[in-house]
Amino acid sequence: MTAAPTDSSRRARLFAVAALILLPLVWFLPAVAGRVSLAPGDVWISNLGVRVLLGRMIAHGQLPLWNPYIFGGMPLLANVYTGAIYPPNWLFAVFSPAVALNALMITTIHLSLIGTYLFARRLGMERLPALVSGIVFAFSGFSIAHLDHIHRLTAVVWLPWILLAIEQLFFKAEWRWIALGAVFVALQLFAGDPQMTLYTAMLGAAYALFSLCAREQRQKRWRFIAAGAAMSAIGLLLSLAQLLPEAELLGQGERAGLTYEYFAGYSLPPRHLVALIFPYFFGGASLRPYSLPYRGEWNEIIPCGYVGLLGLMLIVTAWLSRKRDRQLWFWTVTAIVALALAFGGYLPFGLNRVLYHVPVYNLFRGSYRHWLEFTFAAAMLSGFGVSSLRAAKWNAALELVKGSAAIVFLLVLVTAALYLFGKGGSLADAECFIPIITFAFSAAAVWFYASRPGSASAVLLVVLLLADLATFGWFFTWRSVPYRVNERLADSATVAFIKARETDLSSFRLVSQSALPYDYGYEPKKYPAQHDLLNVSNSLIPRGLQSVNGYDLFRPLRVSQLLGDQDAQGIIWNPQTFGPQSQALNLLNVRYLLLEKHRTLSASDAVKIAGVSFAKTPLHLMLAPGRSFQTEVDSVPATELAIISLLSDSVQVPDQSPVVRIRLHTRDRGIIERELQAGRDTSEWAWERPDVRKVIRHRRAQVAESTDVQTADGGFQSHTYLSRTTFDRAEIERIEFEYLRPDAQLQIVRASLTDAQSGAVTPLDDLPLQPEQWQKLATFSEVQIYQNLRALPRAWFADRVIAEPETEVLRIISSGRLRDGQPFDPRQSALVEAENFRQPLPVVTAAGAKVKVTRYEPNRIELTTRNEGQGFLVLSEIFAPGWQALIDSAETTIHRTDYALRGIVVPAGAHRIEFIYRPRSFRNGVIGTVIGAVALLLGFIFSNRRKIAEHAE
C-alpha cells in the first residue's frame, strides 16, 4: 500500500499544477487580454500567411499540398516550415488568424514548460526543482527570442518530451513509451524546423549513449537499444508523409549545396557571452526602459542564451554542492559543447570547416542556434542547484549560497567594467543597472530559500526567477506588436484598388518591388501601413492575390533565375527584368506592379557619404556596352545629381574619357546633358590592387566608400567613387543614362537628386519602366500601381515550339531575342529545353485556338480548349514534379516550357484539360506513415497480449 499524501505534498502538487497551467498565461497576459499579437518579425512577413492558407484549405476539405500565391506557385506541404501536418497549426482552420496565432504560441510554451518539468521529475527531482528547470527552459532567452519563428519554437518544445521517452525506456522498455516517443519524434518533424530536429537527435543520441555507458543499467542493454531503435524507426515512418516531399523539395533548392560562407553565417561571436550576464549588453531591446540600439554582430537574436542570473547562481550552486553525480557531469559537458558549436565560424584551428564537411549538419547555417542545447542543459543544472539547496543542511545551504553569489557577483562586476569602460556605457543605462539590481534580488531570493525553506520562499524563488528572465524576455519584440492581425490581413488600399478592377483573381499575378522592403523603411512595427500597401511578403496570401514575390528559402529557383536573381525575400535584384527586352514578367502573367518609388529621405532613412545623402539601400544598376537606362522621377525640383559608381574591367580606359552620357529631362521639355568621365567621376573598383595599379590608364576619382578585399597575395582596398553634377534649379521628370564605351562596364551603386533650396533629397530608382509597357494607374502614399500592358494570359496556344539548350532558353527570355536575332514573342514561340524534350518538335498552330480556365483551385486547374489543328498549350503555372495533365481524362506529358512553365501538346478539337497536383513523394510518404501507424497498433496488440499472458501465469 502507498502512503496517503500529506497536506504538504498535496499543496506542493497543487502549486506545481497551477504553475504549469498559469505561468504561460501570466507571462503572455497582454496577448491573452487581446492587447498584443504574437506576430513579431518573421511571423508577419513569412510564417503567418502560409498558416492562414493552410487553415483555409483544411476548412474547405482540400489537402494542403500546393501554394499558388507566392513565387508564382510552390509546394506547400513539402515546405516543412509551413508545418502543414502539425496538428496545432490546424487551429487556423477553426479560429481567426489573430486568435489562432496567440493560442498556438502560448500553448507551445505550455508544452515546453510541462515537458521539461516531467523530464526533470523523471530524473528524480522534486517538484520545485523540476518547476525551476521548466521555467528556465520555457522562458529562456532562446525560447522568447524565437517567438517570431513559429516553425522553430514549435519544434524546440518537443526536445524534453523526446528525452523523457528515452529516459522512460532506459528504466523499462515498455511499448507505450516506444509509441509515445515515436509520436513525439513525428510531431517535432511535422512542426517544421529540420535544424532543431537535428540538434534534438544529436542530444538524444548523446543522452542515450551516456545512459548506456555511464549509468547503472536498469535492464539488459539490448532491450534499451532495441526500444530506442524501434522508437526512432517508427517515428521516422510516421513522419514520411512530410519527409519524402520535403526531401524532394530540398533537392531542388539552394540548400542542396551551401557554400561555407553561408554555412558559417550567424555564428555566435565569443564576446557575446557577456549577454549571459547583461542580456542587453549589446542593446537591441524593443521597449523601455532599455533604449540602446543593437550594436553586436548579425542581429539582436544572436546573443539570446539568457537563462537568468538566478539560473546561473543555481548552476554554480549545483557544482559547489560537491554532489557531482553523472547527470551533473553530462549536462555540464552538454552546455560546454553546445557553446563551442554555437561559435561556428569563430572556432579556432579551422574546426568549423571540418564541421562543414559533416553530411546533414552542413545543410544548416546559424550555429548560434546551439543555444537550444545550452539553455536546456542550463535548465537541468538549475534544477540540480535547487535540489542541492533542499538536500543540504541549513549551514551548508547558506555556505552554498555565499559561494554561488560571490562567483556570480564577480561575473557581474567584470561585465559591468566591460560595459562601462570597454563600451563607454553608463550606470544610468538600463542595460547596465537592471542586471545589477536583478542580481541583488536573485541573491536575496536564493538566500531566503536556503535559510527558510518552505512554501513562501519557494513561491518567492519562482516569482523572482520569472522576473529575472523577464528582464530579457519581456522587452524583446513580442510586446511591441499591437493586436491588429485580422485588421492588417484585410485588404489594403492597393489590394482593394486591384480587386475593384478584376473579376477573376486567379487570372493574373502581381509583382512588388522596393529597394529593400524588409529594411529600415518597412519594419512592420514602424511602418505597417506602408508595408501592407506594398504587399511584398507572405502576408498578401490571405488577401487572395497571387504574386511572383514572397518570402521563403524553398522558393522555386527557376522562377528566381527567370526573374533576375530574385532572392528568398522576393526581391528582384536585376532591374532589367522590368525593362522592355525581358519577357519574364509577361510570361509569368504579371499584370500589376506595386512600386515603392521616390521616398524623400529622412535622417533615419539616409546614409551620408562625403556630406551627400543617399538611400541606405544600393541600386545595383549595371551599364555595359550598348546598354542604356532611363528612370522617371515625377517632376522633382533639384539642383544636383550625385552618383556613387565604379568601373570594372577598365584598366585600358584612358583618363578623362567619357563613360556615360546623362540626360536630365525637365518639366519644361528641356534637356540638361552631363557625362561621367573615367578618372574624374569614376574609376576602376580594384584601382588599388598592385597588378592593376601598375597598368591602369586613368586616375583614381574621389573615393566614396572602401572595402577590404583579402587575396592570396595579401589584400587591398576596393572603392566606389563620388561624382556631383550641379545645374540650375529645374523640375526633373526623367533621367537617361547612355553607356558610351565599347568596353568595360559601370555600376551605379547609389544616386540622389538634391534640391539646395529645400534641402530635399530624392533617391533614384533603378527600374527601366517604359510607358509603352507600364501604365501608371494610381498612387497610394509612396506606393505606385502600374499595369503591365504586355502581360500574357494564364494560358495560351503558341504557333511553334523551339528547342534550345537550357541556358539559351534563359538568355532568350531575358534578352527578348532568339538565337537568329529575331524578336522573341512568347505568344508565337514556346521554348522547350533540348536536354529534356525527347521527341520530334510537334507541328502546331494557334490560329483560331481558344482556351478558357473554368476551375482554379490550389491543387487543381481545369480548362476547356478548342483548336483546329494540333496545338501547343502553354500554362503560366510553375513546372514542378507531382503535377499531372489529363486531356479528356487521358494523361499526357507536361513539358517544361519557357524555362519555368508548363506546356502540353493538345490534339485538334474541343477538349477538357485538367492539371492535378498529385506528388508521388506525398503518396509514398502516406504509405510509410500508414505503415508506421500499423506498427504502433500491432505493437499495442502484442504488448497487451503479453501482459495478459504474464498476468495469467
Side-chain angles (χ1 to χ4, degrees), residues 648-723:
S648 55
D649 300 324
S650 64
V651 292
Q652 74 284 358
V653 177
D655 195 49
Q656 296 187 330
S657 58
V659 178
V660 174
R661 181 176 292 116
I662 303 172
R663 297 185 182 91
L664 297 98
H665 295 257
T666 65
R667 186 176 183 182
D668 59 5
R669 299 183 182 276
I671 298 178
I672 302 170
E673 286 201 11
R674 297 288 189 272
E675 63 183 24
L676 297 182
Q677 294 182 4
R680 184 189 73 181
D681 305 303
T682 189
S683 300
E684 168 69 30
W685 71 276
W687 198 94
E688 300 282 5
R689 201 171 72 192
D691 60 328
V692 172
R693 194 167 182 175
K694 289 178 182 178
V695 297
I696 196 160
R697 297 180 58 194
H698 59 262
R699 293 171 295 160
R700 192 186 71 178
Q702 180 181 348
V703 173
E705 300 170 293
S706 299
T707 304
D708 291 329
V709 179
Q710 296 299 320
T711 65
D713 299 327
F716 65 96
Q717 279 199 323
S718 68
H719 303 301
T720 60
Y721 306 92
L722 174 66
S723 70

Side-chain angles (χ1 to χ4, degrees), residues 574-777:
N574 185 356
Q576 301 307 318
T577 300
F578 298 85
Q581 291 83 20
S582 175
Q583 293 290 340
L585 294 173
N586 304 333
L587 283 165
L588 287 168
N589 185 222
V590 173
R591 191 176 299 170
Y592 295 100
L593 163 65
L594 302 181
L595 175 64
E596 176 263 336
K597 193 178 175 81
H598 303 315
R599 183 174 61 251
T600 300
L601 293 180
S602 66
S604 62
D605 293 340
V607 57
K608 277 204 170 186
I609 300 173
V612 183
S613 294
F614 296 94
K616 287 182 179 178
T617 308
L619 283 176
H620 302 291
L621 172 60
M622 189 69 71
L623 295 173
R627 182 179 294 179
S628 299
F629 170 80
Q630 65 176 341
T631 181
E632 296 181 13
V633 290
D634 294 342
S635 298
V636 173
T639 57
E640 180 183 75
L641 172 64
I643 295 174
I644 293 178
S645 64
L646 59 89
L647 287 169
S648 55
D649 300 324
S650 64
V651 292
Q652 74 284 358
V653 177
D655 195 49
Q656 296 187 330
S657 58
V659 178
V660 174
R661 181 176 292 116
I662 303 172
R663 297 185 182 91
L664 297 98
H665 295 257
T666 65
R667 186 176 183 182
D668 59 5
R669 299 183 182 276
I671 298 178
I672 302 170
E673 286 201 11
R674 297 288 189 272
E675 63 183 24
L676 297 182
Q677 294 182 4
R680 184 189 73 181
D681 305 303
T682 189
S683 300
E684 168 69 30
W685 71 276
W687 198 94
E688 300 282 5
R689 201 171 72 192
D691 60 328
V692 172
R693 194 167 182 175
K694 289 178 182 178
V695 297
I696 196 160
R697 297 180 58 194
H698 59 262
R699 293 171 295 160
R700 192 186 71 178
Q702 180 181 348
V703 173
E705 300 170 293
S706 299
T707 304
D708 291 329
V709 179
Q710 296 299 320
T711 65
D713 299 327
F716 65 96
Q717 279 199 323
S718 68
H719 303 301
T720 60
Y721 306 92
L722 174 66
S723 70
R724 302 177 68 171
T725 299
T726 58
F727 44 86
D728 292 335
R729 192 171 193 259
E731 292 189 39
I732 308 300
E733 289 193 330
R734 181 163 52 95
I735 303 176
E736 290 182 72
F737 297 89
E738 178 187 359
Y739 192 76
L740 302 176
R741 294 282 308 176
D743 53 9
Q745 54 189 358
L746 178 133
Q747 181 180 353
I748 296 179
V749 181
R750 306 178 195 271
S752 292
L753 285 169
T754 303
D755 182 20
Q757 180 174 316
S758 65
V761 179
T762 303
L764 265 60
D765 295 312
D766 58 354
L767 296 191
L769 301 183
Q770 303 294 325
E772 59 269 21
Q773 179 178 5
W774 298 101
Q775 178 186 358
K776 185 177 176 181
L777 300 177

Side-chain angles (χ1 to χ4, degrees), residues 46 77 96 273 351 485 530 580 612 628 635 691 785 796 837 883:
S46 176
L77 182 144
S96 71
L273 290 182
L351 291 176
V485 168
Q530 192 82 341
V612 183
S628 299
S635 298
D691 60 328
I785 301 181
W796 68 93
F837 200 83
W883 279 98

Side-chain angles (χ1 to χ4, degrees), residues 376-437:
F376 189 80
M380 293 299 103
L381 295 171
S382 298
F384 291 142
V386 179
S387 297
S388 298
L389 289 176
R390 289 179 65 86
K393 294 181 180 180
W394 183 77
N395 288 335
L398 293 183
E399 289 300 317
L400 288 176
V401 174
K402 288 179 183 178
S404 62
I407 292 173
V408 176
F409 173 72
L410 181 61
L411 293 174
V412 170
L413 194 63
V414 170
T415 306
L418 290 172
Y419 185 87
L420 296 175
F421 304 110
K423 287 189 60 179
S426 167
L427 276 174
D429 295 342
E431 288 78 2
C432 181
F433 74 74
I434 286 181
I436 294 174
I437 294 173

